[in-house]
Amino acid sequence: MGYCIGVDLGGTNIVVGVVDKITKEILHRVTCKTNANRPWNEICDDIAACCKKVVDENALSWDKIDSIGVGSPGMVDTKERVIVFASNLPFQDTPLSAYLEERLKKPVFLANDADAAAYGEFAAGAGKGSSSMVAVTLGTGIGSGIIIDSKIYTGYGYAAGELGHNVLVANGRQCSCGRKGCFEAYASATGLIRTTCEHMEKNKDTMMWQMVDGDLNNVCGRTAFDAMHAGDPEAKAVVEEYIAYLSEGIVNIVNALQPEVICLGGGISKQGDTLLKPINEAVDRYAFGRFSKRKTKIVAAQLGNDAGIIGAALLTQ
């Protein structure tokens, strides 16, 4: 039985797990702080130390580890196994794989963190058994990864899959990428919070004010959903507006790629059928391929924060 190590490298934490290649389960994990404001090689030294620690604590011998995979923020050249650029980490043309291979004496594979998480869901979660899948994570922004013919699609210059930065509303809300009206500006958790606040500022009688103690800074991605379930009509309008934006973006993805599965992750995805049912209905109604017998299914992600570790560990498969 073989084992591999998955590394989820974030701007705040480094999380490392031992993964069983057969069951695709995480057997043990360790965490350390990234401390991003330091040289890249120091960060890599901590990754190497965590890899050794997670094996030792799980009472495995190092010779049972077949490979190591790293999911990193930024633009990743998966062929040369180099991090081209990462905005929140000191990586620019950083030979991370080669550096770790020298220290750990194991093959080291590399992918963008969103791609690694998508591959985890594809291999062991919501996309298991399919041949193509798109993962969309609804967080502070929108993270996404594309799997085609069971392989991560990275694009010609390794920057594909930034689906959150397709324009949904011409000259709309300012997006962090520099464009206006991006899918992310409306359908991320941040976008939902902004829409919620806009409705609350127009309606001082909505229940949502009571739920946040009269302070817009307390608004979160659950505020409108919770108030809607409690019977507040203004909150219902917020949710309907948000789902309309999200559905338009999902239909665009289906029209461009028509994957077998689109899985939605992030805290908002926990709304279940309240979210998924109208999105699937919109795809059935508006997607160009709606007359095909093969329909894209919109489902909730299953692995949560484990997706990145599992996907990174399985990069060799």
Side-chain angles (χ1 to χ4, degrees):
M1 181 178 293
Y3 304 93
C4 40
I5 293 175
V7 180
D8 188 357
L9 172 58
T12 303
N13 295 309
I14 299 167
V15 187
V16 179
V18 175
V19 175
D20 185 314
K21 292 174 69 174
I22 303 300
T23 66
K24 298 179 176 61
E25 295 177 342
I26 300 173
L27 304 181
H28 185 62
R29 76 190 75 202
V30 299
T31 303
C32 70
K33 293 295 182 182
T34 306
N35 296 324
N37 296 320
R38 55 180 174 148
W40 67 266
N41 55 301
E42 292 184 12
I43 295 174
C44 289
D45 287 340
D46 279 353
I47 293 174
C50 284
C51 289
K52 293 177 180 178
K53 182 179 179 181
V54 78
V55 172
D56 290 343
E57 290 186 356
N58 200 49
L60 284 174
S61 62
W62 189 250
D63 60 5
K64 289 188 177 180
I65 301 300
D66 293 335
S67 62
I68 298 156
V70 181
S72 169
M75 187 183 300
V76 176
D77 183 333
T78 55
K79 290 184 179 179
E80 297 296 330
R81 296 179 301 158
V82 168
I83 300 175
V84 179
F85 175 75
S87 59
N88 296 318
L89 291 168
F91 296 150
Q92 187 161 2
D93 297 322
T94 300
L96 184 143
S97 290
Y99 188 89
L100 290 176
E101 284 180 346
E102 183 179 339
R103 278 147 186 79
L104 298 173
K105 309 305 179 187
K106 297 287 182 181
V108 178
F109 301 89
L110 188 61
N112 167 269
D113 55 354
D115 288 342
Y119 193 69
E121 284 288 350
F122 171 76
K128 188 175 181 180
S130 67
S131 62
S132 60
M133 189 196 81
V134 172
V136 178
T137 302
L138 308 171
T140 303
I142 288 183
S144 50
I146 301 170
I147 312 296
I148 297 176
D149 294 333
S150 302
K151 296 180 180 179
I152 297 171
Y153 180 73
T154 58
Y156 175 67
Y158 309 104
E162 294 293 341
L163 301 175
H165 299 295
N166 289 326
V167 170
L168 197 64
V169 180
N171 296 313
R173 292 176 180 171
Q174 183 65 55
C175 182
S176 60
C177 75
R179 303 178 79 190
K180 289 185 177 182
C182 288
F183 183 33
E184 177 175 295
Y186 294 88
S188 64
T190 305
L192 171 56
I193 289 168
R194 181 170 176 177
T195 299
T196 304
C197 290
E198 288 174 352
H199 279 256
M200 290 173 65
E201 288 172 336
K202 293 176 182 177
N203 184 349
K204 299 298 182 180
D205 295 325
T206 172
M207 182 190 300
M208 292 184 284
W209 282 107
Q210 300 171 23
M211 297 180 70
V212 300
D213 297 323
D215 187 350
L216 290 176
N217 292 317
N218 293 331
V219 173
C220 68
R222 298 188 309 275
T223 302
F225 282 96
D226 290 348
M228 179 187 72
H229 292 313
D232 185 70
E234 192 68 37
K236 183 174 184 289
V238 173
V239 171
E240 289 176 347
E241 182 177 334
Y242 172 74
I243 290 177
Y245 285 129
L246 180 56
S247 297
E248 291 289 354
I250 296 299
V251 170
N252 288 343
I253 294 171
V254 174
N255 285 347
L257 297 168
Q258 201 184 26
E260 190 172 342
V261 175
I262 294 177
C263 79
L264 301 182
I268 298 172
S269 69
K270 293 179 173 58
Q271 295 296 328
D273 283 344
T274 301
L275 190 74
L276 298 173
K277 188 173 183 289
I279 295 173
N280 275 294
E281 289 173 351
V283 170
D284 287 343
R285 186 178 303 116
Y286 298 118
F288 191 80
R290 60 188 177 275
F291 301 109
S292 171
K293 293 180 180 179
R294 297 182 176 183
K295 302 287 182 68
T296 299
K297 295 182 294 184
I298 318 301
V299 301
Q302 297 177 359
L303 301 181
N305 293 333
D306 289 348
I309 297 172
I310 295 172
L314 299 177
L315 286 174
T316 61
Q317 297 189 2

